[in-house]
Amino acid sequence: MTIHQNFIAGEWTSGGDAAKDINPSDLADTVGEYARASVKDAEAAIAAAKAAGPAWARSTPQARYDVLMKIGTEILARKDELGRLLSREEGKPLADGIGEVTRAGQIFTFFAGEAVRLSGEKLASTRPGIDVEITREPMGVVAMITPWNFPMAIPAWKVAPALAYGNTVVIKPADLVPGCAWALADIISRAGLPAGVFNLVMGRGSVVGDTLLTHRDVAAISFTGSVATGRKVAAAAVGAAVMKKVQLEMGGKNPLVVLDDADLAIAVECAANGAFYQTGQRCTASSRLIVTNGIHDRFVDALTEKMKTLVVDDALKAGTTVGPVVDQSQLDQDMKYIAIGKDEGAKLHWGGERLNRDKQGFYLQPALFTEVTNQMRIAREEIFGPVATVIRVKDYEEAKAVANDTEFGLSAGICTTSLKYASDFKRNAEAGMVMVNLPIAGVDYHVPFGGRKGSSYGSREQGRYAVEFYTTVKTAYTLP
Ligand code: NAD
């Protein structure tokens, strides 16, 4: 099998060793073999990005537009094929794989436009005869570390703004899913970028992580992943000899409030989608369902009926609505939390069984816990699997308090037909994103994405707000 190589200084280069990328729907299927970078590779990538920096920083907005548009156009033209690769590698159903690839293409075309729209300010000085100009400049070399659950969209939403604003890039995708990042790098490698502007180093964070996080020539680090790794990233980046600008997008334990006056069908759809689609492996998954007394039993019954209709099977099979868990260790984690929930005294109302299918894969029936309190571990810790907890509350005020009683703050949702409660929740939910009568996992690409409290650190990603992270501001004074 050919080994897919790292991309450093405009060349495909063989790394130290390689690893197999296995399809979680079919463990007999190897998606490909991918190089794993060494410390030397990471250093070479940083050196190439540094050398390419000044010329790319001075490139015209039109040149950046052309490159980004070319990348986005190819991604969109190949969305079915790339979506298939994504679903085969990560395990989300094909429609979701194609949807994610489409989003990645749209992100590149969006940031093509942003490259030509970058602006500054010119102000009068408080002193006579002086001009003041505020301009935005690229940060320099940006290192990116990404997780496995959105293997195409997350690299896209970091790489596109970085290039649009004149930075150079070293990206390390999750070692579990190098295929999508490699396919993206392949497209980028043919888009007309000067050598060294974009570099891909695949492999393990434990091997190249320190180099990317502490190297003096890396100016900024954009990380998405778990809280535990995020803390290490922040400590290393700030403790480095040259301190880095850092952006962290991490976990969630997102609440979905369902009030007595909710439209039951909408609430059930929001809950099933938010908690179980994409196998619950979304940072925005709504794993805490906070339900008022009057609708609680009807909601639980209707959600259970809905769960019985979910088809857990091969991600590439027509009709599958929930694909496999991504790998053995995530499956172990899901099963561990199902056992913890039972031990804590919650009732496993439905599901939670390991499933066998035609092919050997990591299949798990979505699980619904009832009689859960917000103090239980299954209600406080991110499981990152298809496991939802129902917490019964007496009224809206209690629901709001429980929703905010968490260390996380990525997204929060409410299902209600009351304008009063919807408005109050939008104002008071301690989260970066709030949804009313919508699944809390769906977001647009042209607006900011991110959270607060333990979920996020640093400025927002995506949309026009990405400029905050990928540029630094200069204030210039002139006496003409
Ligand atoms: P993870 O933290 O295990 O890994 C993320 C990345 O960090 C991987 O590329 C990994 O190789 C790398 N890494 C690991 N150790 C490292 C080290 N010591 N130094 C540098 N890099 C290191 O996370 P994961 O399991 O890939 O992804 C799941 C997590 O990501 C969940 O917690 C989920 O909520 C979160 N996530 C958050 C968002 C968001 O935008 N908030 C989006 C998607 C996923």
Side-chain angles (χ1 to χ4, degrees), residues 144-150 154 157-158 172-176 203-210 212-213 223-230 232-233 248-252 281-284 330 382 384 408 410 433 449-451 455-456 461-462:
M144 301 165 180
I145 298 177
T146 56
W148 52 261
N149 65 330
F150 284 92
I154 294 180
W157 80 52
K158 295 184 191 298
K172 193 210 82 62
D175 37 332
L176 207 52
R204 282 183 295 194
S206 56
V207 176
V208 294
D210 255 10
L212 297 179
L213 301 175
F223 168 85
T224 303
S226 63
V227 174
T229 314
K232 285 189 209 160
V233 167
L248 310 172
E249 284 301 341
M250 300 171 287
Q281 297 173 152
R282 292 186 285 192
C283 50
T284 47
Q330 182 62 51
E382 184 184 51
F384 218 55
F408 295 103
L410 189 54
M433 296 173 287
F449 177 92
S455 290
S456 302
E461 299 203 82
Q462 301 197 57

Side-chain angles (χ1 to χ4, degrees), residues 78-118:
R78 292 173 54 198
K79 66 181 168 40
D80 292 343
E81 166 214 339
L82 294 171
R84 208 176 163 76
L85 167 69
L86 196 163
S87 294
R88 188 173 158 216
E89 164 171 78
E90 196 271 352
K92 61 186 72 177
L94 186 55
D96 293 331
I98 294 171
E100 184 180 332
V101 170
T102 304
R103 183 190 174 97
Q106 289 165 333
I107 288 168
F108 273 97
T109 57
F110 174 83
F111 280 106
E114 288 304 285
V116 289
R117 276 191 286 269
L118 184 64

